[in-house]
Amino acid sequence: MKILVTVGSSPFNKLISAVDQFVSNDEYTVRCQISAGTYIPKKHKAFRFTSNFIDEIKQADLIITHGGAGTIYQLLELNKKFIVVPNTERIDNHQTDIANYITEKKLGLTCDNLDLLQVFIEKSTSLPPINYQKNPFFLTQSILSYFKE
Amino acid sequence: MSRSEAVVLIYGEGGHQKEMELFIDTLPKNDTIFYILLGPHKIKKNNSTYFYLNDIRHKNNRLKSVYMSAKHILLTLHTLLKISLKYKSLGIISTGPGIAILPFAIFKLLKVKTIYIESFCRFKTSSIAGRAMYKISNRFLVQNEELLAIYPKAEYSGRL
């Protein structure tokens, strides 16, 4: 199984370190996007950023992601299986809001305890296909007309 | 010399920039408006110009946030002065976060129309930037209907 781990634009050393510690490189092929993180994984391949992020997502069977909404919606729109790990290293600590939404709507898994990461990876294999319905942004014309008034 | 008309777009890092890029994708293909982009990283867009503006705080370090706030205030004042000498702003849109508070307050005083799009990462909680912008902006849009419980006068916009 191919796993992509992504932290978005903010470093998330705890997640990368937990992946390195708990996720086997015999059983899984893991690639980690670590941003400016200072923890460099020893067992798995790592890169800071990529211009082909969408290809990285498409090639992965499972994505372990920080709680960044931009990434999560991208995964939902591509119908990818994922585990959200809210980044509690951030000062604003808002990532639990979308993580709760994902759990409530059964769109993915949320892992708050990194010691259980391996359990969540096994659990993810039995996840049903994602059924995400987006109601697209519909106020662009209204905004442009408002400015022209 | 007459100033040319423009719409100002302001965005912070990470998801906020992503949301602005998604908003730009929703603009009509025959759109003739000129845009001024203000943010920590450039977004490529036709018919636009870009000015650097740093976020108001650091995501992981409070000490760096103090420095960033001071730099943000000076840079905002300097950049808005440059913009207002050259352009007549028709309106301003931001996808947040705190980077937009000061520019919105200044534009509001100048009677420029302001629209804030609250981040799609919010469902049941409000942010400091969100609460401030709810009071300042002319139109406050939410991408998740759950937020209407916190911001009753907001407009639901659908999701970027």
Side-chain angles (χ1 to χ4, degrees):
Chain A
M1 181 159 81
K2 289 181 185 167
I3 300 177
L4 172 69
V5 184
T6 178
V7 304
S9 59
S10 300
F12 191 2
N13 289 322
K14 269 188 213 161
L15 172 61
I16 302 300
S17 152
V19 168
D20 213 19
Q21 194 179 344
F22 300 123
V23 183
S24 147
N25 55 351
D26 295 329
E27 214 172 328
Y28 308 106
T29 308
V30 182
R31 287 175 62 76
C32 303
Q33 180 266 320
I34 65 170
S35 177
T38 48
Y39 183 90
I40 312 291
K42 295 167 190 74
K43 284 198 311 216
H44 306 297
K45 287 194 175 153
F47 55 95
R48 297 204 178 273
F49 294 102
T50 172
S51 53
N52 292 320
F53 188 59
I54 199 133
D55 292 337
E56 292 282 346
I57 293 174
K58 283 179 180 166
Q59 282 166 24
D61 303 303
L62 172 71
I63 294 96
I64 299 174
T65 177
H66 70 123
T71 309
I72 290 175
Y73 290 123
Q74 201 171 12
L75 297 175
L76 287 170
E77 286 178 31
L78 291 165
N79 289 316
K80 299 301 287 194
K81 285 185 181 180
F82 63 89
I83 300 169
V84 182
V85 182
N87 186 349
T88 49
E89 288 176 16
R90 290 172 58 115
I91 290 173
D92 50 1
N93 198 15
H94 69 257
Q95 296 195 341
T96 45
D97 208 352
I98 190 162
N100 291 338
Y101 167 78
I102 293 298
T103 308
E104 276 171 28
K105 302 283 180 188
K106 297 186 170 58
L107 294 167
L109 298 173
T110 298
C111 174
D112 292 321
N113 181 352
L114 285 167
D115 294 344
L116 299 176
L117 201 52
Q118 177 62 37
V119 177
F120 274 84
I121 292 173
E122 282 160 24
K123 213 168 144 184
S124 74
T125 54
S126 57
L127 273 176
I130 291 164
N131 181 20
Y132 172 63
Q133 303 289 337
K134 176 178 170 178
N135 184 17
F137 194 86
F138 55 84
L139 288 182
T140 305
Q141 206 50 57
S142 155
I143 290 171
L144 298 180
S145 308
Y146 177 66
F147 286 158
K148 285 173 188 166
E149 273 170 18
Chain B
M1 197 176 85
S2 71
R3 297 177 301 159
S4 50
E5 293 183 332
V7 166
V8 181
L9 306 177
I10 303 188
Y11 50 90
E13 290 200 300
H16 301 280
Q17 177 170 333
K18 173 83 184 165
E19 287 171 89
M20 186 54 79
E21 287 167 350
L22 291 169
F23 173 73
I24 288 169
D25 286 345
T26 71
L27 292 169
K29 285 198 173 66
N30 57 358
D31 184 18
T32 53
I33 295 171
F34 187 78
Y35 291 88
I36 298 167
L37 303 166
L38 273 177
H41 305 286
K42 188 174 181 174
I43 295 177
K44 282 183 190 163
K45 185 190 178 318
N46 294 336
N47 218 18
S48 74
T49 186
Y50 166 77
F51 293 91
Y52 169 79
L53 188 61
N54 69 308
D55 256 323
I56 195 159
R57 66 175 180 175
H58 195 274
K59 286 174 184 172
N60 307 81
N61 186 316
R62 287 182 201 277
L63 196 62
K64 283 184 186 167
S65 292
V66 175
Y67 164 74
M68 283 177 70
S69 303
K71 182 180 166 189
H72 170 83
I73 292 168
L74 293 173
L75 199 57
T76 299
L77 296 174
H78 181 242
T79 310
L80 293 192
L81 181 65
K82 267 200 299 192
I83 290 172
S84 57
L85 288 173
K86 196 169 174 193
Y87 301 97
K88 179 182 185 297
S89 301
L90 295 173
I92 174 169
I93 305 169
S94 181
T95 49
I99 192 169
I101 297 176
L102 184 58
F104 265 51
I106 294 169
F107 276 114
K108 186 95 191 268
L109 289 173
L110 298 172
K111 309 272 185 222
V112 174
K113 291 170 183 168
T114 55
I115 298 182
Y116 189 74
I117 307 174
E118 176 59 312
S119 173
F120 52 25
C121 72
R122 296 281 174 180
F123 288 83
K124 291 178 181 169
T125 62
S126 61
S127 59
I128 297 168
R131 289 194 294 273
M133 300 310 250
Y134 185 60
K135 288 185 185 148
I136 299 172
S137 49
N138 294 115
R139 290 175 72 177
F140 186 90
L141 316 185
V142 294
Q143 302 182 60
N144 297 315
E145 282 175 293
E146 290 85 342
L147 280 179
L148 293 171
I150 302 175
Y151 302 115
K153 288 179 196 162
E155 295 171 65
Y156 173 63
S157 62
R159 197 173 285 161
L160 287 166

